[in-house]
Amino acid sequence: AAPAANSIMAKNLIYLSHVFNNQVWLQKAVTMIDSLKTIIIKHPGSFGIWTSTAINLAAGINEIAIIGSDLMPSVNDVLHQYLPNKILQANFNKSDMFLLKDRPVLKELSIYLCLNFACTSPLKNVKELMNIIQLQSF
C-alpha cells in the first residue's frame, strides 16, 4: 500500500520545522495529525506513516549536532544506529544550520544531543550519546 501523501507531508513538516526552527510548520503538522487522531488510534495499522509520525512527535525528536575536526567516523556511527526519530546536523567549522549555529568550534569533536532545542553539554563520543538516548527511552 502506498502511504498517503499528506502523511508524508506531515512527517516532512516536522523534520523541516526542526532543521529550520520554523514553529509554523510544526504546528501545521500537529494540526494534521490531530485531525486524524481518532481514526489513527482506532486503526493504527492502516495508517502506518501517520501512526509512526505521531509516536515520534510524542516521544520527541533527538536533535543531534556534531561539530569539530575528524567528525565523519562519528557521523557514520550515528547513522548506523537505529534512531528513527533523529535529526542529524554536522560540520567541520562554524555553520548557519540551526542546531550548529553559535556552537564553539573546538579542536576535539563535540556532540550535542538536543530535545526541543535544549541541549546537553558537549559529549565526546557516540557511545556517550547512545547511553543518554537509551536512558530517555520508555
Side-chain angles (χ1 to χ4, degrees):
N6 283 340
S7 69
I8 300 298
M9 181 53 74
K11 184 176 179 176
N12 290 339
L13 283 170
I14 292 167
Y15 175 83
L16 293 171
S17 73
H18 282 78
V19 169
F20 295 106
N21 190 28
N22 188 319
Q23 297 304 307
V24 172
W25 293 345
L26 179 61
Q27 191 53 51
K28 285 184 186 212
V30 169
T31 301
M32 292 169 74
I33 292 169
D34 280 348
S35 71
L36 295 170
K37 181 171 48 180
T38 303
I39 198 161
I40 292 170
I41 291 169
K42 193 171 183 178
H43 304 286
S46 297
F47 298 91
I49 301 297
W50 284 112
T51 303
S52 66
T53 301
I55 289 170
N56 286 339
L57 190 60
I61 308 295
N62 289 309
E63 303 150 351
I64 303 168
I66 303 176
I67 194 163
S69 61
D70 195 31
L71 59 83
M72 286 314 295
S74 295
V75 169
N76 287 331
D77 286 347
V78 169
L79 292 174
H80 282 93
Q81 301 294 323
Y82 179 68
L83 297 170
N85 58 334
K86 77 171 176 312
I87 292 171
L88 174 63
Q89 292 184 350
N91 207 337
F92 298 102
N93 46 36
K94 288 202 177 280
S95 173
D96 287 335
M97 289 188 284
F98 185 74
L99 289 176
L100 299 173
K101 193 173 186 170
D102 300 326
R103 301 261 182 239
V105 179
L106 307 172
K107 288 184 182 180
E108 65 272 359
L109 183 75
S110 297
I111 302 173
Y112 298 89
L113 174 62
C114 311
L115 190 60
N116 295 322
F117 306 107
C119 302
T120 63
S121 299
L123 306 170
K124 299 300 175 200
N125 57 55
V126 175
K127 184 175 182 179
E128 286 181 45
L129 171 72
M130 294 308 298
N131 286 340
I132 292 173
I133 289 173
Q134 288 173 354
L135 287 175
Q136 72 185 17
S137 297
F138 49 98

